[in-house]
Structures are given as structure tokens and as C-alpha cells.
Amino acid sequence: MRGKRLTANKSACFEKYNKDWLDGHLELAEYIAETPSTSTGRGRPQKQFDELSDRSKRRKTDEMFGANVDTIERALLATRNIAYRHGDSNMVNLIGHVIKNRESASKMFTTLKDSHGMMSPEEAFEYFLDCDFTKYAYEQTVKKNPLRFPSYHVIKSMKKVCSPLAESIEESPSKIQVKLQALKNHTAERIIKIIDAEIVQQMNTNDYTELVLLSSWGIDGSTGYSQYHQALSMPNQKDDSDVFSVTTTPIQLYYQNNKKSILWHNLTPQSIRFCRPIMLEFIKESEEMVLNTKRYIENQISELVPVKIQLSNGEFVLIDFIFVMSMIDGKVLNYVTDTSSMSNCPICGATPNVMSDIKKLEAGYETNEDALHYGISPQHAWMRFSE
């Protein structure tokens, strides 16, 4: 109780002696003076540009080119002063030119950034194939220049992009094959991706939507491979030293109603880059095997349906497929034309004795037009031309 009375007495005394001041009116000024901050700041201290790492310098540079003009100019002026103190006259002149010509400097920066930046997945995969790299060789290249080359995982993913869907591939210990429809659909899509802009530009003036992809295909056998004695599924297969292959190569893509209007043409049809395997099998080439495989592939060709592909502008193109069996050697040609001997001509059936008869030569030979469908193979023409 005593404490409360003392507090009340103090309040009464304060009001008594300060009554005039308390009854007065006090006006505060609207302007409040800014007081300088005495805070020293927290966190990591800022480094000078020269002390930064290469990555931090690129990040700072990117931020500068995205900042306002005054900030960029102050940074350039500071850099020019440093170059002047170090006696680097070339750098002083260069920075002066950049300050006076900001637009050209921005274009120059963009060009340099694009030319020295990371490769796109397509560019890296093309470089990987051109140099015939192994996985180890490419990874060593990445270590030498990690800012230019993407990791090997990018190359691995691009291999999947450049291959048909895994669901369309059938495999066994002695044989692997891909469905022809899936293979040609994928090939057409990849070609359309290359010439998409050209097709879109032509479609603005010509309403062409139906295209034809002409391809060559063939059968061949190869021997003399190392034997690894792996388990083979077929009872007639003795070893894995013989490989039987069926392959196809795209030749041309043109408009269906105008064969002369070629959109895409394979300039190197003999290159392994364009060779698309349909089937690979550990088995020795024989006449029976060739004829059975020919009928099997021709049945698949007859069942092919056109593929519909969407362009970048939202329009669609319909691509049909045409095949020519011209990727064959003389032995396969004799098998499919029922020529009894390698010395006989598969086009007219003439034997060596008939070819040596001047009278029959003057009379001419009767051509088997069906044999011309397979083309005239140049594979052994140089070696056997004079025989």
C-alpha cells in the first residue's frame, strides 16, 4: 500500500510542476533526417572481379548484360581504368569502343557466348560419330573441356533418340531384327526433322502433303569373324563366325505427284551412316536362306502403311514408302534371277560360250527385264570388267 501511495504522489507532483508543458501543443516536423547506417553487414565479403573464379566471372558478366545501362557503363569504366594502370592500351581501346557502340557490343557478346558455350546434344553426338570415339575417349575429352562438351549420358540418350523404339526390336542369342514399319517410320521422322523448315516454307505456296520415301535394300552374307562359342538357338547353326544381314538405306524423299521435286537426297548412299539394319543373324549365306529372306521382307513391304508426321507449324505430311532391291552382290543376284552359274549373265542369261560367238553377239541378246529391277551392281565391276 505504501508503494502505491508513493507512485500516486510522484504523479501528482509531476503534473503540478509540468502543467504548462503538458497543456501545450507540440508540432513535429514532417522531414526526418536520414541517419547513416553503422551496420558492418553480414555474410561472405564481396571479392573484386579479378579475384573471382572463371564460373563466377561468367555469372557476373551475364548479370551485367542483363542490368541497366548505367551499371554496365560504370563497370566498363572501372575495368578500363584498371587496364590503363597496367599499361594495356589494346584493352583500353577495346573497352572505349564497347562503351561508344553498345548495340554492336551486345551482338558481339552473344556471338562469343554461343560460339564458346556448351554443345547441343545433336552437335555433341555428331562430333562423337565423326571422331569414331569410344566411351573412354569421349569422357577424356569432356574432362579436358567440360564447358564445351556435355557428359556421356547425353550421348547415350541421343543413341536412343536415333534408334527405333525398343518394343519394335526382337532379339535372341543368334538373331536380332526390327519391324520394318517401325524402322521406316523412325527414318522418315528423322529426315523430316532435318528439312522441316523447307517443307513448311513450300507448303505456304503449294499445298503438298503426300510424300514418298524411296529406299534401297539388300541381302548379304559375311564370313571370317572371330568365334566366341556362344549358345545359338537354331540346331543348324554350328558357330558364330558367319553373319547374314538384311539392310536398307534411304535414297530420296520427294512429292508423290512430282518426282522431280526432291526434298531430300542422300549424297552418300554407300556410307554406313545411312545404312539401317533390318536383320542380323549368325548363319551362313545360302540360296535357300536368301530366297526365304527375300520373300519374308517383301511380305513386310507389302504390308507397310503410310506414316503421318506433324510439322513445326502444326500441319501434317503423309509419307509412303517405295523399295528397290539393289543392295546386292553378284551371288545374291544369281540366286534371285535363277542364274545357274556365276559366269553367266544374270540379265540375258548368256553363257561364256555364247558371249564368245561373234554371230550371236551381232544378233543381240534378249534381255530379262525383271532382272533389271535389281539394278546393275557396281560392287565387283572394276575387278571383273574385262573377263
Side-chain angles (χ1 to χ4, degrees):
M1 295 297 292
R2 183 181 178 183
K4 290 183 178 180
R5 287 197 298 270
L6 290 175
T7 303
N9 292 335
K10 288 181 179 180
S11 299
C13 291
F14 179 79
E15 292 176 357
K16 178 180 178 181
Y17 290 107
N18 298 283
K19 185 175 183 304
D20 295 338
W21 180 78
L22 292 173
D23 293 340
H25 181 69
L26 180 64
E27 294 183 0
L28 297 176
E30 295 183 359
Y31 173 77
I32 300 177
E34 296 183 357
T35 56
S37 175
T38 58
S39 174
T40 58
R42 297 182 180 180
R44 181 181 296 177
Q46 295 291 330
K47 292 183 177 181
Q48 297 295 328
F49 187 82
D50 295 339
E51 300 175 354
L52 297 176
S53 63
D54 292 340
R55 184 177 180 181
S56 298
K57 286 180 180 179
R58 288 194 302 273
R59 179 174 55 80
K60 285 285 187 182
T61 306
D62 291 342
E63 292 176 356
M64 283 296 187
F65 274 87
N68 56 63
V69 177
D70 294 337
T71 305
I72 297 173
E73 189 167 344
R74 286 199 299 271
L76 290 173
L77 290 172
T79 307
R80 189 175 66 171
N81 291 335
I82 295 174
Y84 181 78
R85 288 197 298 270
H86 286 79
D88 191 346
S89 59
N90 293 332
M91 184 62 67
V92 172
N93 295 332
L94 177 61
I95 296 176
H97 175 75
V98 169
I99 294 175
K100 295 178 181 178
N101 303 275
R102 295 192 184 97
E103 185 177 352
S104 61
S106 179
K107 292 180 180 178
M108 180 179 66
F109 171 77
T110 304
T111 303
L112 291 174
K113 184 179 179 181
D114 293 341
S115 62
H116 298 287
M118 183 72 71
M119 278 186 177
S120 65
E122 290 79 6
E123 292 174 340
F125 189 51
E126 181 182 1
Y127 182 78
F128 179 86
L129 294 177
D130 286 338
C131 296
D132 196 19
F133 274 155
T134 61
K135 177 182 177 181
Y136 175 78
Y138 183 78
E139 288 178 341
Q140 294 303 310
T141 305
V142 173
K143 288 181 180 179
K144 295 292 184 181
N145 196 348
L147 302 178
R148 181 62 174 159
F149 297 95
S151 67
Y152 182 76
H153 297 288
V154 175
I155 302 297
K156 191 175 181 180
S157 63
M158 282 302 301
K159 288 183 178 181
K160 294 182 179 180
V161 172
C162 296
S163 303
L165 296 176
E167 296 79 10
S168 63
I169 301 176
E170 302 173 359
E171 56 185 8
S172 68
S174 61
K175 182 179 179 180
I176 184 170
Q177 64 178 346
V178 59
K179 295 178 181 178
L180 188 59
Q181 181 74 65
L183 179 64
K184 298 314 293 183
N185 289 355
H186 181 267
T187 303
E189 290 172 359
R190 297 293 295 174
I191 294 175
I192 290 296
K193 186 176 180 181
I194 298 173
I195 60 174
D196 182 280
E198 182 179 350
I199 298 178
V200 170
Q201 183 179 4
Q202 294 191 17
M203 286 183 68
N204 294 333
T205 56
N206 302 311
D207 190 17
Y208 292 123
T209 55
E210 296 183 358
L211 308 176
V212 175
L213 178 60
L214 174 65
S215 301
S216 174
W217 75 282
I219 302 171
D220 197 9
S222 184
T223 61
Y225 293 96
S226 300
Q227 298 185 45
Y228 296 97
H229 304 289
Q230 69 179 57
L232 303 177
S233 57
M234 300 297 290
N236 60 338
Q237 292 174 321
K238 298 180 180 180
D239 54 51
D240 51 1
S241 63
D242 301 320
V243 177
F244 185 77
S245 64
V246 182
T247 56
T248 180
T249 298
I251 303 298
Q252 284 182 351
L253 181 69
Y254 54 85
Y255 292 116
Q256 192 172 40
N257 57 353
N258 187 0
K259 293 184 178 181
K260 294 183 178 180
S261 239
I262 299 174
L263 288 168
W264 178 84
H265 180 72
N266 186 354
L267 299 178
T268 55
Q270 299 299 323
S271 172
I272 59 173
R273 291 285 187 88
F274 294 96
C275 184
R276 315 280 283 176
I278 302 175
M279 182 178 68
L280 297 171
E281 184 175 3
F282 288 127
I283 193 170
K284 188 174 181 60
E285 179 186 0
S286 64
E287 182 176 0
E288 181 184 2
M289 188 67 185
V290 169
L291 296 178
N292 290 338
T293 304
K294 178 177 179 292
R295 286 191 292 268
Y296 172 71
I297 298 298
E298 286 177 344
N299 288 336
Q300 288 196 55
I301 293 174
S302 63
E303 296 174 357
L304 289 177
V305 296
V307 59
K308 193 176 183 180
I309 301 176
Q310 187 175 14
L311 302 175
S312 58
N313 63 347
E315 299 290 337
F316 289 89
V317 292
L318 194 66
I319 301 180
D320 201 0
F321 305 104
I322 294 179
F323 287 83
V324 177
M325 187 179 179
S326 59
M327 294 173 59
I328 54 176
D329 57 11
K331 184 190 297 185
V332 175
L333 181 60
N334 284 351
Y335 290 155
V336 298
T337 57
D338 196 21
T339 304
S340 58
S341 173
M342 289 293 295
S343 300
N344 298 350
C345 177
I347 298 176
C348 65
T351 63
N353 291 333
V354 174
M355 296 178 192
S356 302
D357 193 333
I358 301 298
K359 294 181 180 180
K360 292 183 180 180
L361 181 63
E362 292 176 350
Y365 301 103
E366 185 178 351
T367 302
N368 180 10
E369 294 185 0
D370 292 337
L372 294 176
H373 175 75
Y374 304 104
I376 301 176
S377 176
Q379 186 169 0
H380 305 292
W382 184 81
M383 296 183 288
R384 305 178 59 87
F385 184 77
S386 299
E387 294 186 8

